[in-house]
Amino acid sequence: MNASTQQTGVALADVVQVLEDLYPPATAQSWDRVGLVAGDPEQQVRRVLLAVDPTLDVVAEAVRTGADLVVTHHPLLLRGIHSVATTSAKGATVTELVVNDVALYCAHTNADVADPGVGQALAAACGLAATQALTLAEDQELGRVGELPTPVTLRALAERLADALPPTAGGVRVSGDPDALVQRVAVLGGAGDGEFAAVRRAGADVYVTSDLRHHPALEAREEARAAARAGRPATPYLVDAGHYASEWLWLPGLRELLLSRLDVEVEISSVRTDPWDLVVGARPDEDPTTDHPVEGDRP
Amino acid sequence: MNASTQQTGVALADVVQVLEDLYPPATAQSWDRVGLVAGDPEQQVRRVLLAVDPTLDVVAEAVRTGADLVVTHHPLLLRGIHSVATTSAKGATVTELVVNDVALYCAHTNADVADPGVGQALAAACGLAATQALTLAEDQELGRVGELPTPVTLRALAERLADALPPTAGGVRVSGDPDALVQRVAVLGGAGDGEFAAVRRAGADVYVTSDLRHHPALEAREEARAAARAGRPATPYLVDAGHYASEWLWLPGLRELLLSRLDVEVEISSVRTDPWDLVVGARPDEDPTTDHPVEGDRP
Amino acid sequence: MNASTQQTGVALADVVQVLEDLYPPATAQSWDRVGLVAGDPEQQVRRVLLAVDPTLDVVAEAVRTGADLVVTHHPLLLRGIHSVATTSAKGATVTELVVNDVALYCAHTNADVADPGVGQALAAACGLAATQALTLAEDQELGRVGELPTPVTLRALAERLADALPPTAGGVRVSGDPDALVQRVAVLGGAGDGEFAAVRRAGADVYVTSDLRHHPALEAREEARAAARAGRPATPYLVDAGHYASEWLWLPGLRELLLSRLDVEVEISSVRTDPWDLVVGARPDEDPTTDHPVEGDRP
Amino acid sequence: MNASTQQTGVALADVVQVLEDLYPPATAQSWDRVGLVAGDPEQQVRRVLLAVDPTLDVVAEAVRTGADLVVTHHPLLLRGIHSVATTSAKGATVTELVVNDVALYCAHTNADVADPGVGQALAAACGLAATQALTLAEDQELGRVGELPTPVTLRALAERLADALPPTAGGVRVSGDPDALVQRVAVLGGAGDGEFAAVRRAGADVYVTSDLRHHPALEAREEARAAARAGRPATPYLVDAGHYASEWLWLPGLRELLLSRLDVEVEISSVRTDPWDLVVGARPDEDPTTDHPVEGDRP
Amino acid sequence: MNASTQQTGVALADVVQVLEDLYPPATAQSWDRVGLVAGDPEQQVRRVLLAVDPTLDVVAEAVRTGADLVVTHHPLLLRGIHSVATTSAKGATVTELVVNDVALYCAHTNADVADPGVGQALAAACGLAATQALTLAEDQELGRVGELPTPVTLRALAERLADALPPTAGGVRVSGDPDALVQRVAVLGGAGDGEFAAVRRAGADVYVTSDLRHHPALEAREEARAAARAGRPATPYLVDAGHYASEWLWLPGLRELLLSRLDVEVEISSVRTDPWDLVVGARPDEDPTTDHPVEGDRP
Amino acid sequence: MNASTQQTGVALADVVQVLEDLYPPATAQSWDRVGLVAGDPEQQVRRVLLAVDPTLDVVAEAVRTGADLVVTHHPLLLRGIHSVATTSAKGATVTELVVNDVALYCAHTNADVADPGVGQALAAACGLAATQALTLAEDQELGRVGELPTPVTLRALAERLADALPPTAGGVRVSGDPDALVQRVAVLGGAGDGEFAAVRRAGADVYVTSDLRHHPALEAREEARAAARAGRPATPYLVDAGHYASEWLWLPGLRELLLSRLDVEVEISSVRTDPWDLVVGARPDEDPTTDHPVEGDRP
């Protein structure tokens, strides 16, 4: 931070311009709501806080640390609101931002598709260099797919990824034979259980995404098992990296980009916005490939 | 098993009649697809296999163990199919059932609402005795809510539940202060992230369900935190027990019911149909309530 | 205003309670958005400003006059918003309210149907005493219909109403023979051109409402003229009192109600939120019942 | 009128051909219903009556003056009818046309976009020469926008327009500072309150259209006022010229076109189909820019 | 016809009143369009023509025979029309009615459900006395079902029905074993292939209706054959009596009703409005129950 | 059948490849469901049975005659199924196929548009040589239209077609003057009453299709009669050739194609899947063009 910035900062309008050069709003999906959510284009920005989600704790951190602007991946107001009264969480968050003169800017699906962006950060954490789009959505590229330099076991891929992710209670879930070799990897930040068909079309050995629910995940695995019955590999295997964790990977690169283009301070939020605080009863090493005889009523 | 059954068995039509007395099809939701999925009412049933999901492995177990009928919670054909060719997993499963003369019967949302049923099995595993309906869906009761005899910590509740559940790689995820006391508990088997409003209306301290995705879970927690800013407790806390695991709890009771009403053998499948085989990188004891200073780019 | 109020005021939550007793939110239409739009239930209210619309000028008046709460008939956020940045009028209005600690409360279709409420204020301005509901919408009464003590000419009714309304550039528009006698009067505050069928069913001689567009108004008049060809009266005649003006009539009564129930100051906004500033070229006395021969190209 | 026409006239099919050359049906919007509404292509046409709306009075004028064909801008049967019994206004109008052998032809959105057409007639009345399309709807041009030779005050523009329009009870409504200078003018005949976004994109100082309702007009003005707070002009101003009056401007030009192409008589209807007969209580010169202190309850 | 009627007739409004007493419009389905389609309530009616369909030939017959009113079962304008120009068949029909002062009244689904009505006329032609509703549609009874006094062969039922029907080129089509005995008969005038489920629920041996298309008819027969495989009868059999013919049966009873209530002449149209003029290549006695060996390519 | 085939056959996957070369699945309509409905790609095919519909009798014939594959025009599972239990006809058919190792393949709208295909087989049976597409549906050609070498009477055309069709109880229905000359013929296999507008646009004298219902057929004839009133011919005439019969024409050509490309036996099913077994009361030679005076109540 140099002296001039400390006094005058940069106009919010100029920060917005830099962000929209990086993440053009026209590249967002039609259902998405990106851009400036709170703030006045003429207000001054001296310090920026980056986070995955615009939670009350993140806003409190911004106020406490003197940030003038919060940039998040997830929109605060994806669904329109009809009140900013503090009786709802959305209203309390908006009120907290406005009364403290903290602006909020969201780059969501437009950041997913950017180069560099969320998809590429996740691909890099998996060890992928050159990648292609996994599929298209509304004419925008969605997800990445590429080849590892050499095959690795599914377990090794998951462990490499876990090392790159921020810590979470739940960690990284894996479906498939941990010792199978994988090389062609598809990745999609955020909730990915609607894109299994694209993953199969891409011929991926493994699909790294998050928020996989029981039914879509199990159906995808069943398709893989049906393929295995016909002599083909039982792929794609699945890796659920966690929604917060997989998208957090985008923040360090964003920090570098902003520092290089604007005379402002930029920090990554220390708030973990993953909702899960604790896990009990997990058998992380359980071997699922063996059928356990039922004794009494319990497997 | 007596001698006569071993030779002749019970007509499938009679087994279906017992199941439909327990789980009347008219109590299923309109979008659901329950009842007999494969089989001929006149075929004989000597051995029944119970499972959460009708996977290829479950059908293989039925064939291997000589079961004539598989009863599952999840429908095989919730979405209609247009082919039973073995080129799809659904087609391969149907073909495997039909060529091996194994019938399939599904009791889904009608089993959720039955007394006893899926909701009550989950409530019992949480330590709840008397419960009421959490909400109504199409005039059917959905979920349960009740009070523990004495308050327990959120962590203790999760651990008690984990002890009752079948083993899974991921275990039980918890959102909220592990040391907070809870007494009023809402439960809903299966995917529960559409019912937060009902949980709040019911005044529950904690909501036990599964398949909670990032956005709905985080928004529910934010509403709780906004309430806490106004001096009320930051509830409901969340417990995600796993979709497979939470619904598996229904099977032992079903086994007892069938054995008491029909002269057939009944076994619970030894196949774990939870899609997750492995977890890496989890920090189950991570304390999320402390903000960690950012050092470099990683929290 | 007594001394204690000047210092401490009334909690916003208590003012909201009084407003919701007068105008229960459950009586609003399902598409409507009523209630507290900005503010914290715990903040103190000493002065309330009443207006038809929550415009930027009304908020500025509130700030200038020290009002803590604005109560309006029209919702600020009927359509949900995704941003409160000051780059849109809605965002600028929300921001202005929040940064100045001015709360906003809207009572719209729930105020229309209240007793006393918007519909009754308009009926009273027309000279109607006892009235009945004009029709039902979602099981709520909508509009009023009643009989004048004695028949008056259409022109006299319009002039009486104009005297009661706040001044506007456009005044009151009348369709029908000004000298025809009317006695049965239907009224509906706000935009009324969707309720002609109800007005005909009610047997009204004249329909007093606002925002009547060319096509519905002309079609309603044509139905009346077709009736006249069959020997029945060419009714209902139409009176368009102006949207702002007809709903403004509710404010004085609301002021009295609040003063009687709460120890706060209450003023009616001096801002005319009717959008029209000027009218030119009107021929208010033009006699439309005579066909003017075309001379050249102009009637 | 020459002697031969008086006796034999022109086949309706030929008149239709001329009209469809001027206003190709394929240029109408998909929801519109244009073309021949009543009549037999082989019947003879000697006299044509032009009007904005096909009302019962217009049809009576056609019968009284011996017109064989009425050409209107507004469709009689935009919504389909299921009966022509005289118990409805639409049925009575159709019956009156058919029993009197009077044909009806409507050119609506295809006349709006024609060159010359409704949009251009309104632009000319505002003093615009060269214009461009305001926007596109279903790939057809909609509305016009252009620059006056020199800036004029908003009031002067409205007065010029009022002089060109046929007389109506309500005249021309204006929203904005009457003394502000305007040069770039957008025009749209008929109901225009769905096109404010296009008007802003076009950078118009003023928008001349009709049937503007309270909410859209006020929201458009609020957007302009929010812009003014950021130092930009509070435009677009609004001019509501009246639906009937603004579209009547098309008739004289149509009369000339038909006379030049067909050997028939053509007259413009003397019936004013604007529904409004009288205005009372208007304050046309009211100055809205001053806040009037509330004295008692009335502004 | 007495002397007074010949001169003055009955007001159309009075005829309409009698028809609406017989067939209350409120008992029609919501999608239907019944009632007066053309005419003036004050015109005089001396002669009424009854027909199934309001075709051009039927209107021409009305004109030729001096009928003032045509009453049909099928609506002329079920889909709304936007023009009565003679360039379309609907427009030509409306024009022909209006210029000849012939009124048109349609009683469709309200006549289907009346007692007596279309459904009962068809039931009577099948030999049924007491019947019940086959099903409900929008709370109105739809179709009839009842028992013949004694069982008859399917062929005999079809022949009895054919004797009662007006002559058509195509006759009565039968699906099922001609020698099978039937007693419980469901009937539905008009197009019946959406009601097979109701027919099965009613336990009918045979379903008499019309306009049965290949796919629904074949699927219904397949369900019957699947039932036969399980030892139940292969019912319901199907009888397609023809749409025009099956509904024509209502006309004689209607004629009697009108003659008994109104002092007018009433005749049944001599126009056969069934669209089919000729049948070639039919093998009416073909025995379908034998599989014919393929010789060359033809069965 | 040669010796090698009898022992080893052809892999189902290879037969499917040949069928998909002939009838690419991508040329089917989006709502259609074509391709392999039952079977395993690796199973061996020695004998193929061809039929219009996959009925229980057709499957029984396949089992009885040792066919390994049934190829039909109509899909078995156009609507998705949720059960293959034998309690429904669809379930019984699927079960019968699977337990007997009989595969099923359907080529429907992709066979309609193929060259050669269903449309061309029907055109050839009418005597048409070169034809063009009647219209487009989802960018695929639908139906054919062409000119006969010389005009023939409508009756002669119908008789020629009837000679080519497989025998049915109902034969070929004709609407129009049997002695009128026709030359331009439109054909569409299957249910054709949605394409009258295309037939008129194509200028066809006659439309050969099937499953024509009363209302669309009569409305099409009325349009033709309205045209006749204006001096144009009363065309198109209609020929309903029967749904089963008109599509059966495709099977012989398909048999030749398969025999020429695959070393398998191919037979056409001897089962007539037209649902109609018997016709009574037909007056095939009835002359509809004469109005019969009503005597008593019967025409």
Side-chain angles (χ1 to χ4, degrees), chain C residues 108-135:
Chain C
H108 189 213
T109 51
N110 47 341
D112 285 334
V113 303
D115 177 6
V118 180
Q120 296 192 333
L122 179 54
C126 292
L128 297 171
T131 57
Q132 296 171 296
L134 173 60
T135 186

Side-chain angles (χ1 to χ4, degrees), chain E residues 79 175-176 219 270 275 277 292, chain F residues 79 175-176 219 270 275 277 292:
Chain E
R79 292 186 298 280
S175 182
E219 294 199 350
S270 64
D277 298 321
H292 308 284
Chain F
R79 292 187 298 279
S175 181
E219 293 198 351
S270 64
D277 298 321
H292 306 284

Side-chain angles (χ1 to χ4, degrees), chain A:
Chain A
M1 177 174 29
N2 63 28
S4 66
T5 302
Q6 201 158 16
Q7 289 167 2
T8 64
V10 177
L12 176 55
D14 296 332
V15 183
V16 166
Q17 188 56 56
V18 166
L19 286 162
E20 306 210 332
D21 288 346
L22 290 169
Y23 313 115
T27 64
Q29 296 288 298
S30 60
W31 52 263
D32 202 1
R33 302 293 174 172
V34 302
L36 192 65
V37 175
D40 189 301
E42 297 183 16
Q43 78 183 86
Q44 296 298 300
V45 175
R46 278 165 301 269
R47 186 176 171 93
V48 181
L49 185 68
L50 310 182
V52 174
D53 297 278
T55 64
L56 286 162
D57 284 352
V58 167
V59 176
E61 182 187 20
V63 173
R64 192 173 64 244
T65 63
D68 312 293
L69 169 65
V70 176
V71 177
T72 65
H73 185 50
H74 288 142
L76 179 61
L77 305 180
L78 185 59
R79 292 185 299 279
I81 58 170
H82 304 272
S83 170
V84 299
T86 62
T87 44
S88 74
K90 299 290 184 194
T93 308
V94 168
T95 297
E96 203 66 18
L97 287 163
V98 172
V99 298
N100 287 292
D101 282 328
V102 177
L104 174 64
Y105 187 93
C106 300
H108 189 213
T109 51
N110 46 340
D112 285 334
V113 303
D115 177 6
V118 180
Q120 296 193 332
L122 180 55
C126 291
L128 298 171
T131 56
Q132 296 171 295
L134 173 59
T135 185
L136 294 180
E138 301 184 4
D139 291 330
Q140 295 295 327
E141 298 192 337
L142 188 68
R144 313 299 309 165
V145 64
E147 308 253 339
L148 297 174
T150 57
V152 300
T153 65
L154 177 58
R155 184 193 308 269
L157 175 73
E159 288 173 347
R160 171 195 295 177
L161 178 60
D163 286 345
L165 295 170
T168 59
V172 173
R173 299 186 293 177
V174 180
S175 181
D177 176 357
D179 298 320
L181 289 177
V182 296
Q183 185 162 23
R184 187 162 176 81
V185 181
V187 304
L188 180 64
D193 61 25
E195 297 300 335
F196 287 117
V199 172
R200 279 190 289 265
R201 276 196 305 271
D205 301 323
V206 57
Y207 179 34
V208 179
T209 183
S210 67
D211 258 355
L212 294 176
R213 290 165 293 177
H214 177 80
H215 288 300
L218 186 58
E219 294 199 350
R221 294 301 298 140
E222 286 291 287
E223 290 298 338
R225 285 174 191 135
R229 290 161 45 101
R232 298 190 297 278
T235 57
Y237 305 117
L238 306 178
V239 173
D240 187 324
H243 196 133
Y244 154 80
S246 60
E247 298 188 329
W248 182 94
L249 294 168
W250 166 66
L251 300 182
L254 171 59
R255 180 170 179 260
E256 295 308 315
L257 284 167
L258 294 183
L259 288 173
S260 71
R261 300 189 182 199
L262 290 163
D263 190 9
V264 294
E265 293 177 78
V266 185
E267 296 301 337
I268 294 174
S269 171
S270 66
V271 177
R272 188 170 77 189
T273 59
D274 185 66
W276 303 110
D277 297 322
L278 182 74
V279 167
V280 299
R283 276 78 163 177
D285 300 313
E286 185 80 14
D287 178 356
T289 59
T290 305
D291 284 353
H292 307 284
V294 175
E295 294 170 0
D297 289 331
R298 289 286 305 280

Side-chain angles (χ1 to χ4, degrees), chain F residues 59-239:
Chain F
V59 176
E61 182 187 19
V63 173
R64 192 173 63 244
T65 62
D68 311 292
L69 169 64
V70 176
V71 177
T72 65
H73 185 50
H74 289 141
L76 178 61
L77 304 179
L78 184 60
R79 292 187 298 279
I81 57 169
H82 303 273
S83 169
V84 298
T86 62
T87 44
S88 75
K90 300 289 185 193
T93 307
V94 168
T95 297
E96 202 67 18
L97 288 163
V98 173
V99 297
N100 288 291
D101 281 328
V102 178
L104 174 65
Y105 187 93
C106 301
H108 189 212
T109 51
N110 46 341
D112 284 335
V113 303
D115 176 5
V118 180
Q120 296 191 333
L122 179 55
C126 291
L128 298 171
T131 57
Q132 297 171 295
L134 173 60
T135 186
L136 294 180
E138 300 184 5
D139 292 330
Q140 295 296 327
E141 298 192 337
L142 189 68
R144 314 301 307 167
V145 65
E147 307 253 338
L148 298 173
T150 57
V152 301
T153 65
L154 177 58
R155 184 192 306 268
L157 175 73
E159 288 173 347
R160 171 193 297 177
L161 177 60
D163 286 345
L165 295 170
T168 59
V172 174
R173 298 187 295 176
V174 180
S175 181
D177 178 356
D179 299 320
L181 290 176
V182 296
Q183 184 162 24
R184 188 163 175 81
V185 182
V187 304
L188 181 63
D193 61 26
E195 296 300 335
F196 287 116
V199 172
R200 279 191 289 266
R201 277 196 305 273
D205 300 323
V206 58
Y207 180 33
V208 179
T209 183
S210 67
D211 257 354
L212 294 176
R213 290 164 294 174
H214 177 81
H215 287 302
L218 186 59
E219 293 198 351
R221 293 303 297 142
E222 286 291 286
E223 289 299 338
R225 285 176 191 135
R229 288 162 46 101
R232 298 190 298 281
T235 56
Y237 305 116
L238 305 178
V239 173

Side-chain angles (χ1 to χ4, degrees), chain E residues 281-287 298, chain F residues 162 165-171 272 277-279:
Chain E
R283 276 79 164 174
D285 300 314
E286 186 79 12
D287 179 354
R298 286 288 305 283
Chain F
L165 295 170
T168 59
R272 187 169 78 191
D277 298 321
L278 181 74
V279 167

